């Protein structure tokens, strides 16, 4: 019984430490002990002990002379390592997907009004293929992966994002009218996949789908296809993306268990 009690007490301590860390997650400027205590509904003295222990390990550091604390470098390092591991979980599935559809598969992440390509599996089976460079940034309104991410957001978030700056046309097919774009986003929510019909680059189409990332990044997988074979393969590519979305999200969940 004593061991069981100690186990419960240990779990409670961990749970409280996690609450403190999460309370600081959205405050890069830091919070005072009193503010943290209010945020997590714990006594200030308890918060002070937890903050002291986390600071010793480098998970929290002082943010100001007025006793504010913020997330520390040790936590950032752990988070970066975990995210890298998650990316490595995704890549093998992208390779299998690429083989099955015989097309290039891209992994991208949202950065404001852009989607940044962070990894890629290039299909060798096609003489004519569509390939973007890792590091390229595509406007979020003019690519399949971007529209897949927009479909995950609330209408108010979509409105806020799309009105920050002008939606520039990249080709004659780019949708630049917000009402038309929002109508297309509604279709993406119903179908589960998004399409780029030569909206970013003439001669290139794409199908994209969002992936639920345990670390909260807005990530997407997309398959670019030369327009000459887009329509005949569109259904297969869409079905495979939906299939692999489930597979990848299960794998990401298993990684964190």
């Amino acid at each position: 019984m004593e061991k069981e009690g100690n186990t419960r007490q240990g779990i409670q301590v961990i749970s409280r430490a996690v609450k403190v860390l999460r309370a600081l997650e959205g405050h890069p400027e830091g919070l005072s002990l009193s503010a943290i205590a209010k945020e997590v509904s714990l006594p200030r003295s308890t918060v002070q002990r937890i903050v002291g222990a986390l600071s010793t390990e480098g998970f929290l550091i002082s943010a100001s002379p007025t006793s504010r604390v913020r997330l520390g470098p040790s936590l950032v390092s752990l988070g970066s390592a975990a995210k890298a591991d998650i990316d490595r979980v995704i890549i093998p599935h992208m390779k299998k997907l690429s083989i099955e559809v015989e097309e290039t598969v891209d992994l991208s992440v949202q950065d404001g009004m852009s989607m940044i390509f962070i990894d890629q599996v290039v299909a060798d089976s096609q003489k004519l293929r569509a390939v973007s460079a890792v590091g390229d940034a595509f406007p979020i309104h003019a690519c399949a992966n971007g529209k897949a991410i927009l479909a995950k957001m609330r209408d108010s978030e979509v409105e806020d994002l799309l009105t920050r700056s002008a939606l520039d046309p990249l080709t004659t097919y780019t949708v630049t009218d917000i009402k038309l774009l929002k109508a297309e986003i509604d279709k993406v929510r119903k179908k589960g996949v998004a399409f780029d019909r030569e909206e970013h680059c003439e001669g290139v189409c794409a199908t994209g789908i969002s992936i639920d990332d345990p670390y909260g990044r807005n990530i997407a997988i997309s398959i670019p296809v030369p327009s000459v074979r887009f329509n005949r393969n569109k259904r297969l590519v869409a079905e495979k993306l939906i299939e692999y979305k489930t597979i990848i999200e299960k794998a990401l969940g298993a990684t964190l268990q």
Side-chain angles (χ1 to χ4, degrees), residues 1-41:
M1 292 295 293
E2 187 178 349
K3 286 185 179 179
E4 185 178 342
N6 289 339
T7 300
R8 283 201 299 268
Q9 187 177 10
I11 292 171
Q12 184 184 55
V13 170
I14 294 170
S15 175
R16 287 177 172 180
V18 170
K19 285 182 179 179
V20 169
L21 293 171
R22 290 199 181 281
L24 290 163
E25 193 173 9
H27 298 277
E29 75 285 357
L31 290 174
S32 66
L33 294 180
S34 297
I36 297 171
K38 184 178 180 181
E39 187 83 15
V40 299
S41 301

Side-chain angles (χ1 to χ4, degrees), residues 145-210:
N145 43 339
K147 286 186 277 187
I149 293 300
L150 289 171
K152 287 182 62 178
M153 301 179 184
R154 295 190 298 269
D155 287 340
S156 58
E157 293 175 314
V158 173
E159 181 80 25
D160 178 63
L161 187 65
L162 296 181
T163 53
R164 287 182 190 177
S165 59
L167 304 180
D168 296 327
L170 280 73
T171 73
T172 55
Y173 303 103
T174 308
V175 180
T176 57
D177 182 277
I178 290 182
K179 287 184 179 179
L180 292 176
L181 192 54
K182 287 168 75 174
E184 188 171 347
I185 289 167
D186 284 336
K187 291 180 182 178
V188 176
R189 288 169 179 157
K190 293 173 184 175
K191 294 180 179 179
V193 293
F195 299 105
D196 163 10
R197 298 175 175 86
E198 301 186 71
E199 296 160 54
H200 179 266
C201 178
E202 288 190 13
V204 178
C205 298
T207 309
I209 199 162
S210 64

